[in-house]
Amino acid sequence: EAHRVEPLRLPELETPRFRLREWRDDDVPDDDEGPDDASLRFMPAFAQPNRATYAAWLARHRSFAEAGRGVDWCVADRETDHALGNVTVFHLDPGPGGFQAEIGYWLHPPARGRGVLREVLPTVLDHAFRPRAEGGLGLTRVHAGTVADNAASQRVLAVAGFRRFGDDRQAWRNGEGDLTDGVLFELLASDPRPG
């Protein structure tokens, strides 16, 4: 008998400056908040929405949660509740046997340079590694990949405790359609983490 997949429910999480919450229909990016040249250099255009693509992006990501395959947190400013970016835990194996997933993230261009990801990733990882019986995702391993020359993203992962474990040669296609190399990172629930 096939296992019945439970939709993933997204708890609201908080850090000193930011709130991690569900994306809402009205979180449409402002004109200066869509992917810019720096975003498109490191990821395909469909990964980060602009004003025109937001509704379709949101529907797609909500379907991942309904299928038990991923969750997306809107990273919002705690004072204004304005959306600053996204943290996603995806490629989850639905059902009770799932033990690993991938983590990804992006920020609207005006939100960069404020240490947003360095502050929120530890909270997301705490939730990812928390046992399911306690409301977490119950993962034992989280992995990530970046384009080889995305030094900023690699620093974010290193600060969060991830270790580089390999190269992903000619395995990424950037926003311009060019093939490029990637770098692979991983973090186990049993690994020491900063703080």
Side-chain angles (χ1 to χ4, degrees), residues 36-173:
D36 60 358
D37 289 343
S39 302
L40 296 174
R41 182 173 164 215
F42 297 128
M43 63 184 176
F46 66 80
Q48 181 179 347
N50 59 27
R51 181 180 291 276
T53 61
Y54 177 72
W57 177 89
L58 183 59
R60 181 170 176 257
H61 285 263
R62 284 177 174 166
S63 74
F64 295 157
E66 285 300 313
R69 296 203 164 274
V71 289
D72 288 84
W73 280 273
C74 171
V75 181
D77 185 285
R78 275 185 66 168
E79 292 185 8
T80 66
D81 203 38
H82 185 75
L84 305 173
N86 185 63
V87 176
T88 181
V89 177
F90 63 111
H91 289 153
L92 282 154
D93 292 325
F99 65 93
Q100 67 176 332
E102 189 168 354
I103 194 166
Y105 41 79
W106 51 260
L107 294 173
H108 292 315
R112 295 182 194 140
R114 296 172 49 188
V116 176
L117 293 170
R118 288 181 185 218
E119 184 170 324
V120 303
L121 278 191
T123 300
V124 171
L125 290 166
D126 287 345
H127 177 74
F129 291 135
R130 187 172 298 121
R132 289 184 185 209
E134 298 173 16
L137 295 175
L139 303 180
T140 59
R141 179 178 184 263
V142 175
H143 58 99
T146 75
V147 173
D149 62 348
N150 189 346
S153 187
Q154 292 167 25
R155 280 193 302 273
V156 165
L157 291 167
V159 167
F162 285 79
R163 73 172 188 88
R164 179 175 173 163
F165 75 93
D167 298 314
D168 214 8
R169 297 189 307 153
Q170 295 293 286
W172 292 64
R173 192 177 296 281

